[in-house]
Amino acid sequence: MLFLFFLTCQQGRYSVDFIFLWKIPSLEKYVRLMPLGIDMESDDFYKKAGQISSLIVKQEEEISFELEIKKDPFLLFYPLTKISKEEMVEYIVSVLYKDKVLKKFNFKLNYEIPPAPQRILINLKEFEKRKIKLAFSGKVYGRENLEIIWGSPFIIQKVKCQENKNKNKNFLLISIDTLRADALGVYGRNPSITPNIDSFARKSDLWLNCYSTSNKTNPSFCSILTGLYSKHHGIYNLVDPLPQNLITLSEIFREKGYETVAVVSAFHLHSGANLCSRFSRYRVSEETFSTEEAIFETIDYLKNSKKPFFLWLHIFDPHTPHTPPEPFFSGYYATEKFEYFPFNKFQKNRNIGHLEYMDNILLAHPEMYYDEVSYLDFSLAFLFNYLESNGFYNNTIVGFISDHGENLNEHGCISDHNGLWETTTHIPLMLKLPLKEKGEVFHHFVQSIDLFQTVLRLFNFENLKNDGIDLYPSFKTSARNFIFAEALEENEIMVRSKKYSFKILKKGNSFEMAIYDILKDPRENNNLFIKEKEKAEKFLEFTNLFLKDKIISWGRENISEEEIKKLKSLGYLY
């Protein structure tokens, strides 16, 4: 079976390799960061789907480069030239050897980007193990001066395994924005639309009952990277910076001699919380990266890594806008784990093809949220495949977590993470430990802050004061009986036990309380406060004890009008 090539990186076997064409120095003048999909502008907001690196070629130009092809090579790209339904664009890929054209691949396309078409895949197997020149050109029929846009062009191939020179233990943290736990097969979705994440999960230790400390991105990641609740780090919004006196995981790793790298798809984690500047090197999107832009940037770093590292990869999908490329935009998902080309088999997740957005400002639709999850899963397959085939699973701890979930036509929201509900706080958490082929499944309560304490122990770092508890039962001093989460901007706090979810919603000087029986009412539709007033009073006592040592929220820093505009476009400010 082909899968055997990727079990370990041993002599005589192969590992997967990527050539990212936009990374070739001679092509720098042709590279531009382009939106993968819809590009809308108005006086009040603007919206761009995730950005990717693209080669931009004028119709009268041709760009070419020489390279040595290895085993089983494929060239892939998105045809992103924007044309109307009445027009036709032609993409031409020429393969040359010593300036002689060996073969031309022509693709004449009639389409209107819906937001983004399906990738084009070219099999270069007949040229494997040869030095060739690839030339890109194209034209739009009936139009002049249009640019031909080659979205995210890369070559994937197999190469002989090389010994991994990095013998140290590394930490790779993969974080997904807005991913609710029940969107994944391993958390109960049936049929599963995430075969690649599910496969990773089976190799990993998995926590079924992990909860975030917040329903907002910046407060949540400040908690993950410091091990502190918001009440102790003071961040509740997307614009306040994390205080400099608070130490993050990146600074701890850096102090220990690790290279610390951040690839972050959400600009406000840098411009707001200012988390990225605490890494020795980082790349942050101007607005939001597409999933694959961030993944390919990560793989490019791993290809050249020689030092022990802590790498934080943050992916923005499946957050709104819901603009995945085809075939995911039409409701398809991969039905099996990706191992190598040709692509996975795809199957419809829903009946209707292109859906109309239910929210035209956020470009949101609850069913299209799962189209985004399918796109996320398939794109992550490139990274999982690279890690496995190149031996990183032998010495790298890989974490997988989300910052918060999402309401999908629940609690009055079409697609939004307002409120501290099960839908917005129950998140996935996995840890792939080195050389461990099959993971364990844990059912006890944990929170996102517990990752911090666990990482300190796994790397034998000295303990820092934090609010986390070691994730592993054999190392924790006590179990969590309650979960706490805060949302200061929404004046809300949540306390969760195994049976009940209690909430306080403050309105001016007064407050409202709600209590739900999660076991009988998992969607939290039936407020039992009148019936269970005595129990609610006990939860209120827990809440007051929790908030007793709360620090004052840090003052809002001045932010530019441009940043405010970006945050509004994502639905964060109104």
Side-chain angles (χ1 to χ4, degrees):
M1 291 176 63
L2 182 60
F3 178 63
L4 293 177
F5 288 124
F6 298 103
L7 287 174
T8 55
C9 202
Q10 296 178 2
Q11 188 175 4
R13 291 182 175 175
Y14 291 89
S15 59
V16 67
D17 182 46
F18 291 84
I19 300 175
F20 304 116
L21 302 184
W22 62 91
K23 294 283 189 180
I24 297 175
S26 62
L27 299 181
E28 283 181 356
K29 71 173 185 176
Y30 296 101
V31 178
R32 193 183 306 164
L33 205 61
M34 297 289 293
L36 178 62
I38 291 175
D39 186 354
M40 296 173 52
E41 293 191 15
S42 74
D43 293 335
D44 299 324
F45 73 96
Y46 61 86
K47 181 81 58 191
K48 289 186 177 178
Q51 300 163 304
I52 62 172
S53 293
S54 302
L55 296 178
I56 315 296
V57 188
K58 293 180 181 178
Q59 287 197 67
E60 63 273 12
E61 289 185 357
E62 178 183 86
I63 58 172
S64 63
F65 47 93
E66 295 182 350
L67 70 161
E68 185 174 355
I69 297 294
K70 304 296 184 182
K71 184 178 175 62
D72 293 338
F74 291 86
L75 168 66
L76 298 96
F77 67 91
Y78 286 112
L80 293 184
T81 304
K82 296 186 178 181
I83 58 174
S84 67
K85 290 180 179 179
E86 294 74 30
E87 295 174 323
M88 177 181 288
V89 61
E90 182 176 17
Y91 286 82
I92 305 168
V93 178
S94 301
V95 182
L96 301 91
Y97 179 72
K98 294 184 177 180
D99 295 326
K100 180 183 178 181
V101 177
L102 301 180
K103 191 168 185 177
K104 277 192 177 184
F105 298 90
N106 297 67
F107 302 92
K108 292 183 179 179
L109 305 174
N110 284 100
Y111 63 85
E112 184 176 27
I113 294 177
Q118 193 165 349
R119 268 197 189 100
I120 287 177
L121 181 149
I122 300 175
N123 190 340
L124 298 175
K125 186 173 176 61
E126 60 188 289
F127 309 108
E128 69 178 20
K129 300 180 181 179
R130 297 178 64 178
K131 289 185 177 180
I132 61 171
K133 180 188 287 186
L134 285 182
F136 288 1
S137 61
K139 62 181 177 179
V140 178
Y141 289 87
R143 291 278 298 276
E144 296 180 358
N145 301 321
L146 269 186
E147 295 174 321
I148 308 299
I149 304 176
W150 305 71
S152 192
F154 69 96
I155 290 173
I156 185 171
Q157 58 187 352
K158 289 187 281 189
V159 297
K160 285 187 177 180
C161 275
Q162 301 293 324
E163 184 181 5
N164 191 340
K165 296 179 181 178
N166 185 351
K167 299 292 186 182
N168 297 280
K169 191 193 301 184
N170 309 300
F171 182 40
L172 169 60
L173 177 61
I174 303 170
S175 63
I176 314 297
D177 211 303
T178 321
L179 181 62
R180 48 193 273 173
D182 62 5
L184 306 179
V186 287
Y187 283 87
R189 182 176 174 86
N190 187 24
S192 175
I193 58 173
T194 54
N196 297 289
I197 296 174
D198 295 347
S199 176
F200 172 80
R202 285 189 286 271
K203 299 182 183 74
S204 307
D205 293 332
L206 174 72
W207 285 266
L208 292 178
N209 291 295
C210 180
Y211 286 81
S212 178
T213 58
S214 173
N215 60 344
K216 292 287 189 291
T217 298
N218 289 23
S220 178
F221 280 114
C222 286
S223 290
I224 290 170
L225 294 176
T226 64
L228 300 173
Y229 285 111
S230 288
K231 67 171 185 171
H232 287 148
H233 60 60
I235 304 304
Y236 292 92
N237 54 46
L238 302 188
V239 295
D240 290 347
L242 184 70
Q244 285 297 324
N245 66 312
L246 297 180
I247 305 301
T248 64
L249 268 182
S250 56
E251 291 159 306
I252 295 171
F253 273 93
R254 195 172 180 177
E255 178 70 22
K256 298 296 183 181
Y258 287 73
E259 186 166 46
T260 56
V261 183
V263 179
V264 175
S265 300
F267 74 95
H268 48 79
L269 281 167
H270 178 56
S271 65
N274 199 24
L275 292 173
C276 299
S277 63
R278 296 173 184 248
F279 288 76
S280 52
R281 53 189 286 192
Y282 58 88
R283 185 172 180 225
V284 186
S285 62
E286 296 174 2
E287 291 158 25
T288 60
F289 285 147
S290 71
T291 294
E292 59 207 74
E293 177 75 12
I295 286 173
F296 290 161
E297 186 71 18
T298 299
I299 292 174
D300 187 64
Y301 169 78
L302 294 174
K303 285 181 67 174
N304 301 295
S305 66
K306 294 181 176 61
K307 299 178 180 178
F309 61 81
F310 164 38
L311 194 157
W312 175 31
L313 164 62
H314 177 60
I315 296 171
F316 194 65
D317 296 292
H319 195 290
T320 56
H322 296 151
T323 53
E326 294 286 19
F328 312 103
F329 189 76
S330 293
Y332 285 89
Y333 70 98
T335 58
E336 57 189 23
K337 177 193 169 187
F338 169 88
E339 289 173 4
Y340 204 70
F341 288 93
F343 275 120
N344 299 53
K345 296 176 182 177
F346 291 98
Q347 183 173 308
K348 276 273 192 179
N349 179 45
R350 51 182 173 80
N351 294 326
I352 304 171
H354 295 174
L355 296 171
E356 295 293 327
Y357 290 114
M358 292 177 64
D359 186 328
N360 288 319
I361 294 178
L362 295 179
L363 304 184
H365 191 294
E367 289 191 62
M368 292 179 68
Y369 171 86
Y370 294 104
D371 299 342
E372 286 274 1
V373 173
S374 300
Y375 166 57
L376 163 73
D377 178 77
F378 186 75
S379 300
L380 274 171
F382 291 115
L383 177 59
F384 292 151
N385 191 286
Y386 186 86
L387 292 171
E388 185 170 18
S389 68
N390 283 276
F392 282 95
Y393 283 166
N394 295 334
N395 66 336
T396 301
I397 296 174
V398 183
F400 184 97
I401 197 170
S402 175
D403 53 353
H404 53 72
E406 186 80 320
N407 293 308
L408 300 171
N409 257 351
E410 298 149 321
H411 307 297
C413 300
I414 291 173
S415 187
D416 200 296
H417 30 281
N418 284 335
L420 297 173
W421 306 97
E422 283 290 298
T423 52
T424 59
T425 60
H426 186 199
I427 59 173
L429 174 61
M430 309 167 201
L431 269 180
K432 172 72 179 75
L433 300 182
L435 301 175
K436 192 173 182 178
E437 287 300 316
K438 186 176 180 181
E440 298 177 70
V441 177
F442 298 102
H443 297 264
H444 61 282
F445 266 165
V446 298
Q447 292 211 251
S448 54
I449 51 174
D450 298 335
L451 183 64
F452 181 92
Q453 178 66 24
T454 307
V455 169
L456 293 184
R457 195 258 307 166
L458 287 172
F459 281 86
N460 296 316
F461 295 158
E462 61 268 23
N463 192 27
L464 273 74
K465 185 178 179 182
N466 64 86
D467 299 320
I469 297 174
D470 199 297
L471 290 165
Y472 290 91
S474 57
F475 288 94
K476 66 183 181 180
T477 55
S478 61
R480 286 193 181 279
N481 294 316
F482 297 96
I483 296 297
F484 297 94
E486 299 176 82
L488 185 66
E489 286 190 323
E490 297 161 33
N491 291 313
E492 190 171 350
I493 187 167
M494 177 192 80
V495 182
R496 168 83 157 83
S497 69
K498 286 184 170 61
K499 183 173 173 58
Y500 293 100
S501 178
F502 171 76
K503 306 180 198 307
I504 301 176
L505 181 64
K506 297 179 183 178
K507 294 186 176 180
N509 294 324
S510 62
F511 59 86
E512 294 179 0
M513 289 188 286
I515 188 168
Y516 302 91
D517 187 331
I518 293 294
L519 299 182
K520 295 179 179 178
D521 178 26
R523 295 183 180 275
E524 298 174 284
N525 292 323
N526 185 21
N527 184 358
L528 301 176
F529 177 71
I530 301 298
K531 185 179 177 180
E532 299 281 3
K533 194 170 182 179
E534 186 175 337
K535 194 172 295 294
E537 292 290 344
K538 290 183 179 179
F539 271 99
L540 182 60
E541 291 179 19
F542 293 142
T543 305
N544 288 330
L545 286 172
F546 174 74
L547 295 176
K548 192 173 182 180
D549 61 346
K550 178 182 176 69
I551 66 171
I552 298 173
S553 179
W554 299 89
R556 176 168 296 201
E557 299 290 320
N558 292 327
I559 58 173
S560 69
E561 290 297 320
E562 187 71 13
E563 288 174 329
I564 290 174
K565 194 177 181 183
K566 289 180 183 179
L567 292 170
K568 284 184 176 179
S569 77
L570 298 175
Y572 284 126
L573 296 176
Y574 299 94

